[in-house]
Amino acid sequence: MVYKKTFGDRVFDVVIALFVAFVIIVTLYPLIYVFSMAVSNPIAAARGEVILFPKGLDFNALWRVLNDPKIFRYYYNTLWYTVVGTATGVIATSLAAYPLSRPEFAARNVITKFVMVTMFFGGGLIPTYIVVAKYLGLYNNRLALILPGLTSAWYIMVARNFFSSLPGEVIESARIDGASEYRIFGQLVLPLSKPVMAVLAMYYAVSHWNGYFSAMLYLAGKQDLQPLALYVRQVVIQNSVSSVGGEESAAETTTEQLLSALQIKYAVVVVAVVPMLLIYPLLSKNLEKGLMIGAVKA
């Protein structure tokens, strides 16, 4: 039986296609514009002649950013926070979510309610700062960016709902065969949960890669531990362009460097954003399935 679309169906399809095209354009335009500004001719960029694609090619701004000796330290710190924070976050979230998904766990409803309360109520900025900096002693410590945000109530709920969607018969069969709960979780549940693991990894990675506020609070006295996001903030928001490229670049200010000052801000953004853009396609095939099952199933 062949279904023939009505006029209303075709109009609906056109509207949806136009809306999707609009969303794609709105999403891609800032990315293309930022990259174009970073590699355009400095004079064309200063005059505002760059609309979408580059006007001429000039990689001096990117070269100055990559030649900045501080950029590699910031990159190392950000990679450390991202890798360690993502790994520990995914582990902690999955360990917290799996017991809450099992109907045989008697206290799961009570604990789930306590977890959900934290989604709506928090201690506030000042009490949190006092606990982290004074009582935990994590001021100017790398763990200040890992432990306070180790997991999230929302991510626990997403993972819990995904674990609840797994066939209970498979878990019961493994339990009857004598498998322990640790073995069931490690060798059976986790291999079946790649979609939600990809979602959690992406969320945590993006959060740690872009996070700057916690670093600004807890790492203010130790620049050697600060992440790349604070470097981007320093250049883009605080206009500290003269520090990019090292002491020689700051001492020898030329007309060309003044013209490229605006471009340096865009170049810094490009350097900070590109790694996340490269990682996303590797996880995209699992993101949609993990989000749909983890977020919709009750």
Side-chain angles (χ1 to χ4, degrees):
M1 182 177 179
V2 180
Y3 173 74
K4 186 177 181 180
K5 290 187 177 181
T6 64
F7 176 76
D9 293 334
R10 289 193 290 270
V11 171
F12 179 78
D13 292 342
V14 171
V15 172
I16 293 299
L18 292 175
F19 177 75
V20 172
F22 173 76
V23 172
I24 293 174
I25 292 173
V26 170
T27 304
L28 290 180
Y29 178 77
L31 297 176
I32 298 175
Y33 178 78
V34 168
F35 181 80
S36 298
M37 284 290 291
V39 300
S40 293
N41 182 276
I43 297 178
R47 289 177 177 175
E49 297 177 0
V50 179
I51 303 300
L52 179 61
F53 297 109
K55 291 284 186 179
L57 286 177
D58 191 313
F59 296 96
N60 285 332
L62 283 172
W63 185 250
R64 282 189 63 188
V65 173
L66 294 176
N67 275 345
D68 188 353
K70 297 180 294 184
I71 193 70
F72 297 103
R73 182 179 70 245
Y74 287 118
Y75 249 114
Y76 169 77
N77 292 335
T78 299
L79 286 173
W80 192 93
Y81 296 131
T82 302
V83 173
V84 176
T86 300
T88 55
V90 170
I91 293 172
T93 302
S94 58
L95 289 176
Y98 177 68
L100 299 180
S101 69
R102 307 314 310 155
E104 59 269 18
F105 181 44
R108 70 169 188 154
N109 291 330
V110 175
I111 297 178
T112 298
K113 291 178 181 178
F114 277 109
V115 172
M116 293 185 67
V117 166
T118 64
M119 295 173 61
F120 308 102
F121 302 99
L125 178 61
I126 295 178
T128 301
Y129 179 84
I130 293 174
V131 170
V132 174
K134 182 178 179 180
Y135 292 102
L136 296 181
L138 296 180
Y139 187 74
N140 288 335
N141 191 312
R142 289 187 184 274
L143 295 181
L145 271 62
I146 304 296
L147 294 181
L150 182 62
T151 186
S152 164
W154 169 249
Y155 298 161
I156 291 175
M157 292 297 103
V158 170
R160 169 188 174 273
N161 293 338
F162 186 93
F163 291 146
S164 299
S165 69
L166 298 178
E169 297 80 4
V170 177
I171 298 176
E172 288 298 327
S173 176
R175 189 175 288 120
I176 292 174
D177 290 338
S180 65
E181 292 296 331
Y182 295 102
R183 187 171 183 181
I184 292 174
F185 178 71
Q187 298 184 2
L188 185 63
V189 174
L190 289 183
L192 295 175
S193 305
K194 291 181 180 179
V196 76
M197 293 295 109
V199 170
L200 294 177
M202 189 67 188
Y203 280 167
Y204 280 117
V206 171
S207 175
H208 284 288
W209 187 273
N210 295 331
Y212 76 93
F213 189 70
S214 296
M216 189 170 60
L217 288 177
Y218 305 122
L219 301 180
K222 207 161 186 178
Q223 191 175 13
D224 291 342
L225 300 180
Q226 293 177 358
L228 184 63
L230 281 187
Y231 176 76
V232 175
R233 180 181 180 274
Q234 176 184 354
V235 174
V236 176
I237 298 180
Q238 297 181 340
N239 292 317
S240 300
V241 175
S242 59
S243 63
V244 178
E247 296 180 358
E248 296 180 1
S249 180
E252 301 176 4
T253 303
T254 64
T255 303
E256 184 180 355
Q257 290 176 349
L258 290 175
L259 287 174
S260 63
L262 176 64
Q263 286 183 287
I264 289 176
K265 297 181 181 181
Y266 292 98
V268 169
V269 174
V270 169
V271 171
V273 167
V274 164
M276 283 293 103
L277 295 179
L278 296 178
I279 292 175
Y280 179 79
L282 301 178
L283 301 175
S284 60
K285 64 179 181 180
N286 292 319
L287 287 178
E288 182 179 355
K289 182 179 179 182
L291 282 172
M292 293 298 294
I293 295 179
V296 175
K297 183 175 173 64

